[in-house]
Amino acid sequence: MNEADVVVVGSGASGLTAALIAADAGLSVTVVEKAGVFGGTSVVSGGSIWAPCNRWLADLGRTDSREDALAYLKTITMGRVEEERYTIFVDTVNPMLDEVVALTGISFEANPHHPDYQPDMAGAMAGGGRTLQGDLFDTTLLGDLQPKLRQAHSGVPITRLEVDEWGQDTLDRWDWALIADRVSKGIVGMGAALVGALLHGCQSKGVTLHTDTPARRLIRGADGSVAGVVVEHEGVEQELRARRGVVLASGGFEWNKTLVDQFLGAPLTAPSSPPHNTGDGLIMAMGAGAMLGNMNQAWWSPSIYVKGDSYDGAPLYRPTSSLRALPGGIIVNRSGRRFVDEAMNYNDMGKALANFDPQAYAYANQPCWLIFDQRFRDSYSVATVTPETPTPSWFTVADSYEELAGKLGIDKDGFLDQMKRYNDYAATGVDIEFHRGESTYDSYRGDARVTPHRNLRPLEGGPYYAVEVLLGALGTNGGPQTDTTGNVLAADGGTIKGLYAAGNVAASPFGPGYPGAGATLAAGMTYGYLSAKALAR
C-alpha cells in the first residue's frame, strides 16, 4: 500500500463512485476507510438519488425540464452558491447515473409519490419523480467483503417504495415473512443496497479497499500540490502516494464538538450519522489552505433519542419525518406554543429549531416536545416503541394538559391556549396558524385513514404523552469549496493541485437548501464522478 494513481479517503457513495469511475478509466485506485466497515453515512440513508430530468420519469408518463430544475435550485440556494456549481450538477447527475448503472447493474426507478422538499416553489416537482429509488442488493456477491459492509440502523431489507406501499405510519401492514426471508439470504435495501452495489463494482474493477485505515494528513509537494496521504494502517503510520491526486470523501464534522461549536452556530446535539464523522477531511483541507464554504449548514433533522439506544458505541438518534406528520400530535416549545408546520421537510424544520431569541438570550425552540394523545399512542409507533410496547420511562405521561405542562416545565397558560386553538381548527382539517397539511410534501406522509385530513386530528382524551425533539443532523455539508471539476479551491486564489472533494466533507452545491429526497447522495456522487473524470484526464 505505497502508491496508486488515485487515493480516495472515505467509502460512502461519493467516494466509491469516484473510485469506480477512476478505475473504469484505467487508473489504479486505493480507497482508505477510517472505520472497520465500508459505507459511511450512505449506508444509514434511504439510498435515494435526487435527479432532475432523469430518464426514469418516462416510465411514469411524466416530464421535467432543465429550466425548471435550475429555477428551483436558484431559489433554494438563496444566492449563496455560484450558479455554475449547481448547473454542472443538473447537467452531470444523469450521465453519472448512466455510467454507474452500466458498471454496477443497479436498477433504479422514479418514486411517483415523493415530491420535492419545497413543492410550491417555481420549478419544483410537486407530483414526484425526481427522486430515484434503487433495488435490493445481495451481499453474498461481495464474497470476503460481505462482513465489511456497514449495517444500517434498522437492518430491515426493504425498498423506499415498499415503505410507501406498506405504510409509513404503522408496521402491522408490512410483510414480515418476506423481510425475514431476505435477511436469511443476506439481502439489504436502501442505502446499504446502494453502497453494496458500488462496493461490488469497485471490486470488479480492481480497486484496492482498506478498512481501519484513517487518513492522518496530506502529503504536499514542493509546489504545494497534494501528492498523497499519510495513513495509519495496522497501528503504523505510512505514506500512501497518489500519482494523480487525492479525493476527500470522508463525511462531515457533526461528531466533532469543537468544530460544531466553532462553525455551526446552532445547538446540534443529535447527529444521526456513524460517529466516525469527526471532520478529518475538513481538517486536512484546512491544513492545505483550502477555501471553505457553507460552514454554518448541515442536513438538519429533528430527532428523538430512545434511552439506551446506541450505534457504533455512540447514542443513536432517530429521525422523525413520518412521525411528525401523523394526525394527533403537535410540537411545542417551552412557551407551550407551536412554532412550525410539524409535517414539513426535516431540513427546513431543523432551521426553526435553531431559532435564537435575543431577548431571552436562548434558543426559542429548544427544548421542544412532540405532544400526543392516547389514540396516537394506540395507533402509531414512536421510534422503537410500538402500540403494544409498554410505555417507556423516557415518555412523559400525564392525565391532563395542566399536569403535562407542569411535568415538562412549560408555560401552562400558553399551552392550554395553544391546545384549545389547535383542537378547534384541527377538527375542521385546516391549520390556520402554520398551514400544516396544505403542501403536497405534507400530504405525502400522514395517515390516509384519518378524516377530514390525513395530517390533522384534535388531541382528545388522556393520558397525554410528550417526547423531546432534538436538533439533529444527517451530516454537516460545509467544507472545502471546489470548482466544477471537484478540484478544491485555495483560500489565496486558484486551486490546490491534486486535491478533490465530494460529499459531506465539501461545501454543498446546494448551499443552505435541500432540494429533495436524495439530494445529498446525488450531489456527492456527482462530484465524486466529476473528480474521477478530471483525474483521468
Side-chain angles (χ1 to χ4, degrees):
M1 192 178 68
N2 297 321
E3 193 173 36
D5 290 326
V6 176
V7 174
V8 178
V9 180
S11 66
S14 305
L16 292 179
T17 299
L20 178 67
I21 299 301
D24 185 58
L27 303 182
S28 61
V29 182
T30 296
V31 174
V32 291
E33 168 57 51
K34 177 182 180 180
V37 286
F38 295 110
T41 307
S42 301
V43 166
V44 301
S45 75
S48 304
I49 309 291
W50 189 76
C53 309
N54 67 76
R55 59 184 169 92
W56 292 273
L57 277 163
D59 297 333
L60 304 178
R62 299 175 188 175
T63 59
D64 192 7
S65 75
R66 180 177 184 269
E67 291 71 26
D68 280 348
L70 292 176
Y72 180 53
L73 289 174
K74 183 175 183 178
T75 302
I76 212 162
T77 55
M78 301 179 69
R80 291 170 56 178
V81 178
E82 292 185 4
E83 188 173 339
E84 63 179 3
R85 289 207 65 219
Y86 57 78
T87 299
I88 196 70
F89 164 78
V90 171
D91 291 340
T92 308
V93 62
N94 288 297
M96 177 274 293
L97 288 170
D98 286 341
E99 289 198 39
V100 166
V101 168
L103 293 171
T104 65
I106 295 176
S107 176
F108 288 113
E109 59 182 313
N111 188 320
H113 312 295
H114 209 311
D116 288 343
Y117 280 168
Q118 288 290 349
D120 297 325
M121 279 186 181
M125 283 197 74
R130 283 178 176 165
T131 292
L132 303 178
Q133 308 294 159
D135 203 353
L136 302 168
F137 176 73
D138 180 359
T139 61
T140 62
L141 296 173
L142 295 174
D144 292 343
L145 287 187
Q146 184 184 23
K148 291 286 189 178
L149 178 63
R150 176 178 286 282
Q151 296 296 305
H153 286 159
S154 70
V156 180
I158 52 176
T159 69
R160 181 72 225 184
L161 290 171
E162 286 175 334
V163 173
D164 288 343
E165 178 184 347
W166 295 343
Q168 305 173 71
D169 52 337
T170 179
L171 302 179
D172 60 7
R173 288 178 280 170
W174 288 29
D175 190 337
W176 292 106
L178 175 62
I179 289 171
D181 181 63
R182 289 173 179 172
V183 170
S184 70
K185 294 176 180 176
I187 303 297
V188 294
M190 297 198 194
L194 175 65
V195 170
L198 289 169
L199 192 62
H200 183 52
C202 286
Q203 280 182 300
S204 68
K205 288 295 177 180
V207 174
T208 301
L209 300 152
H210 293 286
T211 56
D212 295 304
T213 308
R216 297 303 187 194
R217 55 191 177 275
L218 297 172
I219 300 171
R220 309 293 299 282
D223 61 353
S225 63
V226 171
V229 292
V230 174
V231 301
E232 183 179 322
H233 185 66
E234 297 180 348
V236 178
E237 283 196 353
Q238 56 185 283
E239 290 189 348
L240 176 53
R241 293 275 172 172
R243 288 182 288 266
R244 297 287 183 100
V246 172
V247 180
L248 297 176
S250 52
F253 58 88
E254 59 273 12
W255 284 94
N256 186 319
K257 186 178 186 305
T258 299
L259 294 177
V260 166
D261 290 345
Q262 291 300 315
F263 288 118
L264 283 187
L268 172 62
T269 57
S272 57
S273 62
H276 296 87
N277 292 351
T278 54
D280 300 12
L282 169 64
I283 293 168
M284 287 190 286
M286 288 193 294
M291 180 183 290
L292 303 182
N294 218 47
M295 292 302 296
N296 65 341
Q297 293 297 319
W299 308 110
W300 304 110
S301 177
S303 302
I304 58 178
Y305 176 57
V306 178
K307 187 176 181 180
D309 219 354
S310 65
Y311 182 76
D312 272 16
L316 172 56
Y317 300 101
R318 295 183 179 272
T320 59
S321 297
S322 298
L323 183 66
R324 293 182 283 103
L326 292 169
I330 65 169
I331 294 177
V332 301
N333 57 22
R334 65 167 63 88
S335 298
R337 303 288 184 177
R338 296 174 68 215
F339 55 90
V340 73
D341 166 12
E342 294 92 342
M344 73 162 31
N345 75 80
Y346 46 86
N347 186 62
D348 292 323
M349 182 178 174
K351 296 172 185 177
L353 267 66
N355 183 43
F356 187 76
D357 180 351
Q359 288 185 300
Y361 209 75
Y363 291 97
N365 303 319
Q366 283 286 287
C368 65
W369 297 266
L370 173 68
I371 310 294
F372 52 96
D373 62 5
Q374 186 63 45
R375 183 160 44 164
F376 188 105
R377 173 78 177 90
D378 292 338
S379 302
Y380 311 121
S381 295
V382 179
T384 58
V385 181
T386 67
E388 297 79 24
T389 305
T391 299
S393 61
W394 53 276
F395 277 29
T396 300
V397 187
D399 290 326
S400 66
Y401 294 149
E402 292 88 347
E403 183 186 2
L404 189 62
K407 286 188 173 183
L408 296 177
I410 64 178
D411 183 84
K412 183 178 71 172
D413 292 337
F415 184 51
L416 292 176
D417 177 67
Q418 178 68 86
M419 293 310 304
K420 181 181 185 307
R421 288 186 294 110
Y422 175 81
N423 285 340
D424 285 346
Y425 55 69
T428 71
V430 179
D431 177 6
I432 61 174
E433 282 191 280
F434 295 101
H435 308 285
R436 174 171 163 181
E438 292 182 12
S439 81
T440 54
Y441 179 83
D442 288 8
S443 59
Y444 163 66
R445 302 187 188 274
D447 187 345
R449 300 168 297 181
V450 173
T451 57
H453 200 289
R454 64 190 298 154
N455 298 117
L456 298 166
R457 181 179 56 73
L459 280 70
E460 298 173 335
Y464 299 98
Y465 301 85
V467 174
E468 187 172 2
V469 178
L470 305 168
L471 178 55
L474 309 179
T476 54
N477 56 19
Q481 291 197 46
T482 70
D483 64 13
T484 55
T485 71
N487 198 177
V488 172
L489 300 177
D492 58 359
T495 59
I496 300 174
K497 183 180 177 182
L499 185 62
Y500 293 76
N504 287 353
V505 73
S508 171
F510 305 135
Y514 202 159
T520 175
L521 286 175
M525 291 173 68
T526 298
Y527 271 82
Y529 173 90
L530 288 166
S531 298
K533 291 292 187 181
L535 288 164
R537 289 193 294 271

